Amino acid sequence: MMELIVNVSENWGIGMGDRLLVSIRADLLRFRELTMGGTVILGRKTLQTFPGGRPLKGRRNIILSTSADYQVENAEVAHNLEELLSLLRPEENTFVIGGESIYRLLLPYCERARVTKSYVNLPADRFFPKLDEMPNWKVENTEELLEENGVSFQYIDYVNSNLLPLPAAQLNA
């Protein structure tokens, strides 16, 4: 199963420059808990924002990059969608974790979106698709409003009613 995890602002912004808009400790802990032991899919630019530009520990990291010679220690690199999908293992929990172009590319394959909605209005130049405006994405669960360091936020889970199936070859791997 493929899911995605994202923290969005009120206008579905996710980043400005090469930085996240909002960093909430409770959300980062939830992210770690959900993804630990699973597979994470991310782009090269997102990897560069991690401490030391290194893959996440305790998870299988798959980096999507169109650069043919791009390599990352302790991670697998895919250069296109077909190659990426061929690396997936049906028995693994797989999480798409960004950035903008990776989310847009893989959104149709994701069964669930775990959205942290941060109620802030900050300038952004990277955006996540507005799931509330997409007919095939429905809210499955909304948790209570939380607050940390003056930022109100809540976890909202969406489900995709028009899931794009993974290629048959991948399912038989």
Side-chain angles (χ1 to χ4, degrees), residues 96-111:
V96 178
I97 62 170
E100 179 183 31
S101 63
I102 305 302
Y103 283 133
R104 290 186 187 281
L105 177 68
L106 296 175
L107 185 64
Y109 296 96
C110 292
E111 183 176 316

Side-chain angles (χ1 to χ4, degrees), residues 10-29:
E10 290 181 59
N11 66 350
W12 294 83
I14 58 173
M16 183 66 171
D18 62 353
R19 297 185 19 224
L20 292 173
L21 289 183
V22 180
S23 181
I24 301 169
R25 188 173 192 286
D27 186 45
L28 295 173
L29 292 172

Side-chain angles (χ1 to χ4, degrees), residues 46-94:
T46 298
L47 177 65
Q48 291 172 345
T49 68
F50 291 175
R54 294 191 180 106
L56 297 174
K57 292 181 181 179
R59 286 149 277 209
R60 179 180 177 222
N61 288 250
I62 302 176
I63 316 303
L64 187 57
S65 171
T66 57
S67 177
D69 59 349
Y70 185 71
Q71 295 297 316
V72 178
E73 188 177 339
N74 299 318
E76 298 167 72
V77 177
H79 301 96
N80 56 52
L81 178 61
E82 183 177 307
E83 189 178 339
L84 170 70
L85 295 177
S86 74
L87 291 173
L88 299 181
R89 300 175 189 149
E91 73 277 4
E92 289 183 333
N93 290 328
T94 302

Side-chain angles (χ1 to χ4, degrees), residues 135-172:
N136 57 307
W137 285 93
K138 304 288 183 219
V139 173
E140 178 185 57
N141 182 53
T142 302
E143 294 190 19
E144 67 184 71
L145 192 63
L146 302 169
E147 188 267 329
E148 182 177 302
N149 294 329
V151 176
S152 296
F153 65 98
Q154 68 186 147
Y155 303 123
I156 305 171
D157 291 344
Y158 292 80
V159 291
N160 184 354
S161 64
N162 191 23
L163 185 64
L164 193 62
L166 295 171
Q170 186 270 328
L171 296 176
N172 296 326

